Amino acid sequence: MSDVTELTDSMVFTDAAANKVRTLIQEEENDNLKLRVYITGGGCAGFSYGFTFDEDVADDDTMVENSGVSMVIDPMSFQYLVGASVDYKEGLQGSQFVVSNPNATTTCGCGSSFSI
């Protein structure tokens, strides 16, 4: 099995992120949930990443699958995330979903805010 599954040519959903999403879906006992990644204005660098679970997928959402779980991105957010990867990291400062975004020209110290 590869480290990542890339079903679109512009977003990566890592195995670690997919495995964490699967675990959270099992805890919620709702197989219809998908990880939604989105961008909002704000944060110390201008834009912030957001994550939520969603049952709905709009016609214009981009969906990336890995190991039977899905990540969805709305079109407005997708334009800022082209080429990005979503991973899940566990460390001394806690565990979290992490976006590696090649479009970000600057990021803040916490890594959840960026500018283009």
Side-chain angles (χ1 to χ4, degrees):
M1 178 183 241
S2 68
D3 182 49
V4 295
T5 298
E6 190 172 1
L7 295 183
T8 68
D9 59 354
S10 52
M11 289 283 306
V12 174
F13 186 26
T14 69
D15 286 349
N19 289 334
K20 183 61 177 179
V21 169
R22 181 181 305 100
T23 299
L24 294 169
I25 288 171
Q26 289 170 345
E27 289 174 5
E28 291 296 319
E29 299 179 355
N30 183 350
D31 291 337
N32 296 318
L33 292 175
K34 294 146 190 62
L35 177 67
R36 181 169 291 280
V37 181
Y38 59 93
I39 304 296
T40 59
C44 54
F47 294 101
S48 293
Y49 301 110
F51 302 93
T52 189
F53 280 100
D54 199 341
E55 291 182 339
D56 301 319
V57 177
D59 291 338
D60 57 352
D61 281 343
T62 297
M63 185 162 46
V64 180
E65 295 183 5
N66 184 343
S67 303
V69 295
S70 300
M71 173 178 71
V72 294
I73 308 97
D74 65 271
M76 191 284 298
S77 298
F78 186 76
Q79 66 184 333
Y80 297 106
L81 292 168
V82 171
S85 67
V86 176
D87 197 6
Y88 184 77
K89 303 273 185 180
E90 294 183 5
L92 294 175
Q93 298 177 345
S95 54
Q96 63 184 348
F97 289 102
V98 177
V99 177
S100 296
N101 188 348
N103 303 304
T105 56
T106 58
T107 60
C108 68
C110 68
S112 64
S113 181
F114 70 100
S115 65
I116 295 190

